[in-house]
Amino acid sequence: MGKGLEGKRIVIAGSRKTDEISTLIEKQGGIPFVRSLQGTVFLAEEQVEPDLRNFIQEGADWVIFTTGIGTETLLNLARKLGEEEAYLKRIHQAKIASRGYKTFAALKKLDLAPAAKDDDGTTRGLVRALENEDLNGKKVMVQLHGETAPALIKFLKDKGASVLQVLPYQHISPDEKAVSLLCEEMQNRQVDAVCFTAAIQVREFFTYVKKNECLQEILHAFNTDVLPVAVGKITAEALTEEGVRNPLAPDLERMGAMIIELAKYYEEAKIK
């Protein structure tokens, strides 16, 4: 194995498999730093129950599912409430949209066929699929996972839809010390790349950055000296939505592939 990351200071923004990713970085000659921006995602049964009952009682014109696990969890929660049949009836009465292959697979298990689905696994792809739909005055239920989807929600509202956001999983923010330290390291050019392994890490980081009024400095760092790296399309899309240009992402959406892609990037940069 080459040493494509020789001397490079690489930040891991995730909280899972950090030892394994650190080892991969070290094998490539890099220096790993763990700065977890993940926080904690938890099953929010009590918090989601009113929204779920609202949907069961009133229904919607469209139902948008964005994650496979969230699709399955809402059904399980409806079952626990003794409302599985009523919940499925409401879904059958609505038009369905889905994002991502895991979501599509979860719907297929339920014999549910989406009227619209993304072509590339991203929210942008889902928006493209819905662009020609008449959503004016329509009620839309959106299943989310631990975070909001600002671009999707804005698109729906701009089209005239009323939106009910249902989050079966909710998110507790990460330790601010880790976020603050990463901001400082980026501003001082003490790191060469930041690897984001989930879109929620991007959202949390930029929420902190905006709150602390250092957005322009961080964007400048990303767009000049600090390489933004994403594990896949959804995470790369979140970076782009925040104003980060050209994040690096592997075709194979895996953490190991991300590090290999990063090493390859630096190897090619040396040749140039």
Side-chain angles (χ1 to χ4, degrees):
M1 189 178 276
K3 296 282 186 179
L5 299 179
E6 192 70 56
K8 297 295 182 185
R9 300 154 299 182
I10 311 298
V11 172
I12 304 162
S15 57
R16 289 175 57 249
K17 299 187 177 178
T18 53
D19 289 345
E20 292 171 44
I21 304 171
S22 295
T23 300
L24 281 173
I25 291 169
E26 286 166 350
K27 281 182 179 176
Q28 290 279 355
I31 306 155
F33 296 85
V34 177
R35 303 286 182 260
S36 180
L37 309 177
Q38 185 76 35
T40 307
V41 176
F42 67 98
L43 179 58
E45 290 190 37
E46 287 183 18
Q47 292 88 338
V48 81
E49 184 181 329
D51 290 330
L52 189 55
R53 286 194 183 279
N54 180 331
F55 170 69
I56 290 167
Q57 286 165 10
E58 298 185 12
D61 299 295
W62 278 87
V63 178
I64 300 176
F65 292 102
T66 64
T67 65
I69 190 169
T71 301
E72 291 166 355
T73 299
L74 282 184
L75 179 62
N76 290 335
L77 290 176
R79 188 176 294 136
K80 281 180 79 171
L81 294 172
E83 297 281 8
E84 180 182 4
E85 191 178 328
Y87 172 72
L88 287 172
K89 184 179 177 183
R90 286 300 191 188
I91 292 173
H92 279 286
Q93 288 170 342
K95 286 187 175 179
I96 299 169
S98 107
R99 185 198 72 182
Y101 73 93
K102 289 181 181 176
T103 309
F104 184 77
L107 290 169
K108 195 174 179 182
K109 275 188 202 171
L110 299 170
D111 290 323
L112 294 167
K117 71 183 194 66
D118 64 87
D119 54 10
D120 61 357
T122 68
T123 302
R124 236 173 303 162
L126 179 58
V127 166
R128 281 196 298 273
L130 290 167
E131 262 173 349
N132 294 324
E133 299 290 344
D134 179 12
L135 299 175
N136 190 37
K138 305 292 186 188
K139 291 174 67 175
V140 181
M141 187 270 267
V142 184
Q143 169 268 314
L144 298 168
H145 185 86
E147 59 165 331
T148 58
L152 176 60
I153 302 306
K154 182 179 185 303
F155 162 77
L156 293 170
K157 288 183 176 177
D158 286 349
K159 292 274 281 182
S162 61
V163 182
L164 170 66
Q165 300 179 58
V166 180
L167 287 83
Y169 291 87
Q170 294 191 13
H171 187 261
I172 298 171
S173 294
D175 182 358
E176 277 205 358
K177 288 178 188 171
V179 192
S180 172
L181 180 57
L182 177 54
C183 282
E184 198 175 301
E185 288 168 335
M186 285 185 63
Q187 287 169 312
N188 295 328
R189 304 305 191 267
Q190 293 171 316
V191 296
D192 296 292
V194 181
C195 296
F196 294 91
T197 61
I200 188 69
Q201 297 158 20
V202 178
R203 302 288 182 219
E204 284 294 334
F205 184 58
F206 278 93
T207 296
Y208 177 90
V209 163
K210 289 168 190 171
K211 189 173 77 176
N212 288 273
E213 300 180 351
C214 52
L215 176 63
Q216 293 313 312
E217 296 97 313
I218 293 299
L219 284 177
H220 181 66
F222 270 136
N223 293 328
T224 54
D225 306 309
V226 181
L227 184 66
V229 188
V231 74
K233 291 175 185 173
I234 297 290
T235 307
E237 182 182 45
L239 282 163
T240 304
E241 285 177 1
E242 296 292 353
V244 177
R245 296 197 296 267
N246 302 317
L248 182 71
D251 291 329
L252 179 65
E253 302 190 355
R254 298 289 184 272
M255 294 183 194
M258 174 180 66
I259 301 306
I260 299 303
E261 187 74 18
L262 179 57
K264 185 178 159 192
Y265 171 89
Y266 283 122
E267 285 283 11
E268 289 175 355
K270 279 182 206 168
I271 294 166
K272 289 175 186 174

